[in-house]
Amino acid sequence: MWKASEMRRAFLGINLLGLLLLGGCADDPEAAATLSVKGYVEAELDTLHAASVALQRAAPEPDADGWNARDDAEAVASMRREWARARAAYERIEGAIAVLFPHLDVSTDERYDGFIELEADADLFDGEGATGMHAIERILWADAHPPNVVAFESSLVGYAPARFPETEAEARRFRDALVARLIEDIETMRTQFAPLALDPATAFGGVIGSMGEQVEKISLAATGEDESRYAQTTLADMRANLEGGRQIYLAFQPWVRAHGPEADDEVAAGFDRLDAAYGALSGDSLPPVPEGWNPDEPDPAHLDGAYGRLWQRVSAEADPDSPTSLVSAMRAAARVIDVPIAP
């Protein structure tokens, strides 16, 4: 995962490249913003693709007993690292991907329960049924699923316990079908994204939409339904999602600031508040959900714990009805530059 300083340097490079390609489009803030966003998304798609290919290459050579985290520890550790790298890249641009490629967003990022709600997945490794990053994650961490995750999933119609490949054929399908499907979907995104001319509403609206995803990510942890639940890295997802949102907003910042510096100040403050909330926690997993947690009527004692404080902050910043939330500030900034954002 890139450090924040590396991300800033990369983003500055993208901005500079955009200005050069447009022949110095500082006089056209809309063109400058959308070109910068396009360059950022393209760079993250490249990272997503590279990490997925590296994951496939790290898979053990299929043999008679498949592979597992004990006998193939080094290979599994390598696959897990590349999965985390791919996951961070995806989360940084999730808002744009969900808007531009909704079907590919499903095949790449849908959770296991979402897939089997439609039809049971009889073969975990074949690249059909449950696919994408979470299907791969579910296998890579098959020996480490938290009890609440197992309890939730085992209650679902069509549930099949997660496991490592146990035969040569399963190991080969994992590498050449399931992971290959992820790579194929990412390649399709890259191909289709390359000729697109982004409009400000799509780019700006994607960032606002991703804030709703933040609330969902933390809220679903209470029932073991959160996204990166097998690797226990949902907090890392949220940090990357926020990082990507801020970087994309920075493309619009000069435009916003020229027309309404107060609006830009409010957006920056909102990002800083969430940054501080995430930075106050260590590790990549969400804090434990208090026993008896009720999001509709939370116990004051629960709200005073690490999970409760984070839930309050994320919920507050994503509330479109609160005039002091980050989402409201983003909507105000969009109005300042006359960018239409859907309700």
Side-chain angles (χ1 to χ4, degrees):
M1 186 180 300
W2 285 8
K3 297 179 181 177
S5 60
E6 293 172 327
M7 290 296 299
R8 284 192 292 271
R9 286 197 296 271
F11 191 74
L12 288 172
I14 291 167
N15 273 330
L16 177 59
L17 176 61
L19 291 173
L20 291 172
L21 289 176
L22 284 179
C25 64
D27 294 335
D28 187 347
E30 178 178 329
T34 53
L35 186 60
S36 291
V37 172
K38 187 172 176 64
Y40 181 75
V41 174
E42 284 177 333
E44 292 303 323
L45 280 172
D46 288 346
T47 298
L48 174 61
H49 181 265
S52 300
V53 169
L55 190 162
Q56 185 185 50
R57 290 174 178 166
E61 188 63 29
D63 57 25
D65 61 352
W67 50 260
N68 59 70
R70 183 189 66 251
D71 300 328
D72 303 277
E74 185 175 341
V76 172
S78 180
M79 287 190 289
R80 287 175 174 178
R81 283 193 301 271
E82 295 300 340
W83 180 90
R85 187 162 70 101
R87 187 71 192 150
Y90 190 85
E91 284 293 332
R92 292 188 192 105
I93 56 175
E94 180 181 26
I97 297 302
V99 172
L100 294 170
F101 309 114
H103 297 301
L104 291 170
D105 180 57
V106 169
S107 64
T108 302
D109 193 41
E110 179 65 274
R111 295 183 291 271
Y112 177 69
D113 43 302
F115 282 116
I116 68 168
E117 183 179 9
L118 301 176
E119 185 178 357
D121 185 15
D123 188 333
L124 303 179
F125 312 103
D126 65 354
E128 301 293 333
T131 61
M133 281 184 283
H134 297 306
I136 293 169
E137 174 200 8
R138 193 169 183 263
I139 294 166
L140 289 178
W141 276 270
D143 61 342
H145 291 198
N148 68 328
V149 171
V150 176
F152 161 66
E153 290 192 352
S154 61
S155 69
L156 301 173
V157 175
Y159 166 75
R163 58 183 177 82
F164 298 115
E166 296 174 351
T167 66
E168 180 178 346
E170 288 181 346
R172 196 172 300 281
R173 288 200 299 277
F174 171 84
R175 186 190 66 187
D176 300 339
L178 181 60
V179 180
R181 168 69 183 275
L182 174 64
I183 295 169
E184 179 184 341
D185 286 345
I186 296 166
E187 288 173 345
T188 301
M189 289 183 208
R190 294 168 81 203
T191 300
Q192 293 182 0
F193 185 74
L196 286 181
L198 284 182
D199 64 276
T202 298
F204 209 99
V207 177
I208 296 175
S210 70
M211 289 308 305
E213 292 282 337
Q214 298 274 301
V215 176
E216 182 183 70
K217 289 178 197 302
I218 188 170
S219 297
L220 289 177
T223 54
E225 298 175 65
D226 53 309
E227 280 201 292
S228 299
R229 57 203 187 211
Y230 316 113
Q232 287 291 280
T233 56
T234 298
L235 180 58
D237 285 0
M238 295 168 71
R239 287 177 177 137
N241 199 246
L242 182 67
E243 179 185 359
R246 189 195 283 267
Q247 291 297 329
I248 289 174
Y249 173 73
L250 285 176
F252 291 90
Q253 186 181 42
W255 189 9
V256 174
R257 192 139 197 99
H259 294 275
E262 299 84 3
D264 175 56
D265 289 341
E266 291 299 321
V267 173
F271 277 119
D272 287 345
R273 289 191 297 269
L274 272 178
D275 248 345
Y278 295 164
L281 299 168
S282 61
D284 293 333
S285 60
L286 289 169
V289 181
E291 187 72 30
W293 168 260
N294 181 353
D296 298 321
E297 295 182 12
D299 188 307
H302 293 166
L303 291 176
D304 195 40
Y307 178 85
R309 289 192 296 270
L310 183 63
W311 179 83
Q312 288 181 91
R313 173 50 56 200
V314 174
S315 299
E317 298 299 345
D319 185 357
D321 297 323
S322 169
T324 60
S325 72
L326 174 55
V327 163
S328 291
M330 291 284 291
R331 289 186 174 278
R335 289 192 294 272
V336 162
I337 56 177
D338 198 25
V339 170
I341 301 298

